[in-house]
Amino acid sequence: MSASVRELVDEAYERRESTWRAALETVNDWVESACSSNPELSPDRVQVAAGRIKSPLRTGEKLRRKLADANDMIHQSVEVENHVVDVVGARVVCRTEREQAALWDLLQDGSGELSIAEVRDYCLHPKPSGYRGRHLIVEVPFDAEPSVLVELQIRTVLQDAWSTLSEEQLFKPGQALKSDEEQERLSVILSGLLAQADAVAGYIADDVRSAYEGDGSRSSRRSARRDRAEEKTTSANEPAIEVTVRELKHSYVLAADEVGRHGIIRLENLGALPGLHSGSGHPAPGDKLQVRLDETPTTRYFIPVAREG
């Protein structure tokens, strides 16, 4: 980090840190108020974490990378926040994806005091690293000075655990560590497994809730949900895409398409497709498969199709 960037970052923190902390408290209060209006978002299901102000070191490193990528320069400390919009970070941890989705929708209904500047859904489109979560860039206004952007991260317990583990491995006090290919591969695999665990946790929560409420249709709901998950297919008119097999597990295959989106292929859906390495119809890491995309609210599936011709 050059001396000029370091000085501008330090000046920004000296001038704005107290305002950033006030903005963080405002966002936390906003989330808690929204949760209080929905009995399904009780404190035992949704927890507002303390949040954080990014350290000057990490802000400076991120700013330096962004300026280098854009071949740009800054000359005033007020420009720091224009380039690093996540200096202030709020965080909410939800028990399951159901609470996560409910809070996500509630905060975007437009009836709150704060406005949302940007929406980033990393559950629908996970980062290449495997990160999943839902982010809102919230604008907090102030009377006497510029507004503050706060990145609100809404995660499930398992998404938060993955993020914490990954961050501990990739950043140590005083230095950023560059992960190698094997670490990145394993990190993506772990993310996929935890996403499946999140889906299972949601199914269990729904069943427990039905039993608690004395819902006599519990069995039929479970059967209908299983049927939707297992029998849903994509339209035959949808174009096929090519994916690369990453990992073979006992009941599914983890694969990725050309833009880095990861998905699940059930082994029972493979059948006896031609071109696979084994007669059992099981692919090997590195195999290319033609698939169609099928996304549920919680999971991305790849449905194998035979190559034409």
Side-chain angles (χ1 to χ4, degrees):
M1 183 168 56
S2 68
S4 59
V5 169
R6 181 170 59 246
E7 290 170 358
L8 291 175
V9 168
D10 288 343
E11 181 182 334
Y13 272 74
E14 182 178 356
R15 181 175 53 85
R16 291 276 280 173
E17 187 167 4
S18 62
T19 304
W20 293 339
R21 296 198 180 279
L24 177 57
E25 291 180 6
T26 299
V27 169
N28 287 344
D29 290 343
W30 175 59
V31 173
E32 289 177 349
S33 176
C35 289
S36 67
S37 67
N38 187 332
E40 294 187 358
L41 302 178
S42 58
D44 64 322
R45 309 291 305 177
V46 176
Q47 295 185 348
V48 178
R52 57 101 184 105
I53 306 295
K54 193 185 292 290
S55 72
L57 171 66
R58 297 188 68 175
T59 296
E61 289 292 342
K62 187 168 187 177
L63 177 59
R64 180 187 59 79
R65 291 194 302 270
K66 283 182 170 288
L67 293 176
D69 291 341
N71 192 25
D72 198 3
M73 295 179 64
I74 65 172
H75 304 284
Q76 298 180 355
S77 63
V78 295
E79 298 177 81
V80 171
E81 292 173 75
N82 296 336
H83 291 273
V84 185
V85 299
D86 62 343
V87 173
V88 187
R91 182 165 54 92
V92 180
V93 180
C94 304
R95 184 75 64 87
T96 70
E97 292 173 322
R98 183 182 63 192
E99 290 85 12
Q100 182 189 41
L103 180 59
W104 173 255
D105 292 339
L106 184 61
L107 294 178
Q108 294 184 81
D109 69 1
S111 62
E113 302 173 353
L114 303 180
S115 60
I116 296 173
E118 189 176 346
V119 174
R120 301 174 179 178
D121 192 343
Y122 297 119
C123 289
L124 185 59
H125 302 292
K127 291 185 178 182
S129 65
Y131 174 81
R132 287 171 166 82
R134 288 173 165 176
H135 294 192
L136 298 174
I137 306 300
V138 183
E139 185 174 0
V140 181
F142 288 88
D143 293 334
E145 53 185 310
S147 60
V148 175
L149 294 180
V150 177
E151 182 186 56
L152 173 59
Q153 302 173 344
I154 306 173
R155 302 171 181 164
T156 66
V157 171
L158 292 179
Q159 290 168 355
D160 192 58
W162 180 93
S163 182
T164 299
L165 289 171
S166 298
E167 184 167 314
E168 286 178 352
Q169 295 301 318
L170 299 180
F171 191 89
K172 301 296 182 184
Q175 61 178 329
L177 303 179
K178 184 174 178 59
S179 58
D180 59 28
E181 291 184 2
E182 179 66 8
Q183 291 171 342
E184 293 173 355
R185 184 182 72 87
L186 293 175
S187 181
V188 170
I189 292 172
L190 177 61
S191 173
L193 293 174
L194 291 178
Q196 291 298 301
D198 250 339
V200 173
Y203 295 156
I204 293 173
D206 286 345
D207 280 344
V208 170
R209 182 185 182 191
S210 296
Y212 178 77
E213 294 175 350
D215 190 343
S217 62
R218 178 186 181 190
S219 296
S220 61
R221 284 185 179 181
R222 180 187 296 171
S223 177
R225 184 174 59 233
R226 183 169 57 245
D227 290 344
R228 287 196 301 270
E230 294 181 353
E231 295 177 5
K232 182 180 177 184
T233 58
T234 54
S235 168
N237 295 325
E238 262 190 56
I241 61 174
E242 185 175 79
V243 299
T244 302
V245 173
R246 299 298 190 193
E247 194 81 7
L248 180 64
K249 296 297 183 180
H250 71 283
S251 61
Y252 68 90
V253 171
L254 181 65
D257 66 10
E258 61 181 6
V259 296
R261 295 182 301 176
H262 287 76
I264 299 297
I265 303 174
R266 292 193 179 93
L267 291 184
E268 61 264 30
N269 287 342
L270 286 169
L273 290 177
L276 298 182
H277 289 192
S278 68
S280 66
H282 293 179
D287 277 347
K288 307 288 187 180
L289 297 178
Q290 293 292 309
V291 302
R292 289 192 175 91
L293 183 63
D294 179 19
E295 290 186 307
T296 72
T298 59
T299 309
R300 178 181 297 113
Y301 293 99
F302 293 138
I303 310 300
V305 297
R307 290 180 180 271
E308 297 181 358

